[in-house]
Amino acid sequence: MKDLKDKVVVITGGATGIGFALAKAFGAEGAKIVIGEPREERLQEAVAALEELGIEAAYTICDVTDPAQVEALADFAWDRFGQVDVLINNAGVGSKRARAVDLPLEDLHKVFDVNFFGVWHGATIFAKRMEAQGTPAAIYNVGSENSFFTAAPGVMAAYVATKHAVLGFTEAFREETPDFIQVGTIFPGFVKSELTAGAAGELAMDTDVFASTVLKQFKAGEHFIVSHAYNIERIRPRFQQLEEAFAAYAPRYDGDEEYDIRNLMARLSRGSRPDR
């Protein structure tokens, strides 16, 4: 989606941090912005700031953990602007810094409710309406460098698990969605936001710099939107270890596609049965 002029972009958690920076970046391209999160005061401040930049913007209160409120966000956007062209599922929370064995289950559920189920609610609810709308559209879910590796080892298993889940869901969802809806995942690294507030946060990537990086890749139609260059050095060892494990214990052989699930499902869908 190269031309964003007059496109309608909905961003959850769009009042602060990465979401607000994306609102500014997309708005600067001529898009109309709708933001939603639970804190009305922050929403009002964000819309006022966007309007000062000459960006047409509106807000509605939305808690992404509640499907009814996500439906209401969609109602608001379509009623206000008559269409939605882009959804960015950005709302997210951090988890308590605690070992998995010490984390209360209620805290685990809270972080999954926002970071994973909030994404699920947004993607599925908006996708149905976008399919009915029938025009080119896009849904992007915000993951993390923690979708690939554990960036903060030892104390954030819940957060890491949610971001791995976002990547897995988005990849499956992308294959289920019509081609005219562009689906992808945004992978922030260490970016200035409410989640990175504090002394260490001053060392994080500037939020507007990150948003400009996202925008460029979005307009190019990429479904993996990346940023922090050094992350590849953290990602590569996992795949190297996997390759080594396969080479040692499950090496390739002639006819090894016999157990490949995609091949098997394709054969079954054609009505043919495996020979074995």
Side-chain angles (χ1 to χ4, degrees):
M1 189 177 294
K2 295 182 179 180
D3 184 7
L4 288 164
K5 183 173 174 53
D6 294 326
K7 296 296 191 291
V8 178
V9 179
V10 177
I11 305 174
T12 66
T16 61
I18 288 172
F20 181 63
L22 291 173
K24 290 189 292 182
F26 279 77
E29 295 282 318
K32 302 171 184 178
I33 306 298
V34 176
I35 57 176
E37 71 137 79
R39 301 170 298 178
E40 186 167 19
E41 181 179 345
R42 304 308 294 272
L43 290 165
Q44 291 171 339
E45 293 171 352
V47 166
L50 292 170
E51 290 176 342
E52 285 183 6
L53 295 171
I55 297 168
E56 187 173 356
Y59 79 84
T60 188
I61 295 171
C62 179
D63 178 349
V64 297
T65 68
D66 180 356
Q69 292 194 40
V70 179
E71 291 278 9
L73 172 64
D75 288 340
F76 176 84
W78 261 277
D79 290 345
R80 181 68 175 263
F81 293 112
Q83 66 189 63
V84 171
D85 304 290
V86 179
L87 169 69
I88 301 177
N89 284 307
N90 165 76
V93 296
S95 61
K96 288 185 177 180
R97 297 180 65 81
R99 295 171 63 230
V101 295
D102 298 322
L103 188 72
L105 281 178
E106 64 182 31
D107 292 331
L108 173 65
H109 291 170
K110 285 178 182 177
V111 70
F112 261 92
D113 280 345
V114 178
N115 292 2
F116 178 70
F117 287 106
V119 168
W120 184 289
H121 298 155
T124 56
I125 286 168
F126 275 76
K128 289 179 183 178
R129 299 186 185 216
M130 287 174 170
E131 289 180 21
Q133 184 173 267
T135 56
I139 296 174
Y140 275 77
N141 301 326
V142 176
S144 166
E145 60 191 358
N146 288 281
S147 297
F148 299 118
F149 62 93
T150 302
V155 292
M156 291 182 61
Y159 184 82
V160 173
T162 65
K163 294 303 184 176
H164 272 62
V166 166
L167 173 57
F169 164 64
T170 307
E171 285 298 279
F173 184 68
R174 185 167 60 87
E175 296 198 34
E176 299 174 358
T177 305
D179 290 341
F180 66 84
I181 301 178
Q182 181 178 316
V183 174
T185 314
I186 300 169
F187 301 103
F190 195 40
V191 178
K192 291 180 181 178
S193 72
E194 291 183 338
L195 295 184
T196 60
E202 294 303 312
L203 304 176
M205 178 182 281
D206 179 81
T207 317
D208 291 328
V209 170
F210 174 73
S212 68
T213 301
V214 171
L215 180 64
K216 177 172 62 177
Q217 294 172 78
F218 173 88
K219 292 173 71 175
E222 302 293 348
H223 73 271
F224 287 158
I225 294 185
V226 299
S227 56
H228 293 55
Y230 194 79
N231 279 352
I232 192 63
E233 298 301 326
R234 302 295 185 193
I235 295 168
R236 188 177 287 123
R238 167 180 282 189
F239 291 97
Q240 289 176 337
Q241 290 167 17
L242 282 168
E243 287 187 3
E244 290 168 3
F246 274 95
Y249 301 106
R252 296 294 307 273
Y253 59 88
D254 289 340
D256 59 5
E257 69 276 7
E258 63 183 331
Y259 299 123
D260 178 71
I261 187 63
R262 285 185 177 248
N263 282 325
L264 288 172
M265 294 301 292
R267 291 169 65 181
L268 291 171
S269 68
R270 293 194 299 267
S272 60
R273 297 179 59 189
D275 296 332
R276 307 170 66 88

